[in-house]
Amino acid sequence: MFFILGISAKTIKSDQGQFLCPVCKTRSAYEIKVQRRYFSVFFISLFPISKPKESAVVCLNCGTHMPKMVLEHHS
Ligand SMILES: [Zn+2]
């Protein structure tokens, strides 16, 4: 038997809302992306091997990824 084992990372959307984007200076929608690593076989994710990590806030207007602290500044 031959298995392709590996570790894959999945990015899921955890939250969304509105904020004043510091990049495009517009009040626009954002999404919070969470990344989590999975143990995978044949490129199919089986189970998570790490805790979810809140990685970035993404502005849906300009597409910029930025740290989550931008939400605290402009709320
Ligand atoms: Zn923006």
Side-chain angles (χ1 to χ4, degrees):
M1 289 289 275
F2 178 67
F3 289 102
I4 302 172
L5 305 175
I7 292 169
S8 61
K10 262 190 187 176
T11 305
I12 52 169
K13 192 179 81 179
S14 81
D15 205 2
Q16 59 185 2
Q18 291 232 317
F19 79 140
L20 181 65
C21 176
V23 178
C24 57
K25 315 272 187 219
T26 314
R27 186 151 190 88
S28 56
Y30 69 84
E31 284 182 353
I32 295 176
K33 304 280 187 182
V34 176
Q35 212 178 57
R36 198 169 189 185
R37 286 175 181 276
Y38 282 79
F39 182 76
S40 63
V41 177
F42 294 115
F43 307 107
I44 299 162
S45 300
L46 290 183
F47 52 85
I49 57 171
S50 72
K51 289 187 174 166
K53 189 177 81 175
E54 293 217 330
S55 51
V57 175
V58 183
C59 173
L60 296 185
N61 189 50
C62 64
T64 306
H65 288 56
M66 50 204 113
K68 218 188 153 198
M69 54 181 265
V70 294
L71 297 181
E72 286 146 32
H73 277 268
H74 295 279
S75 59

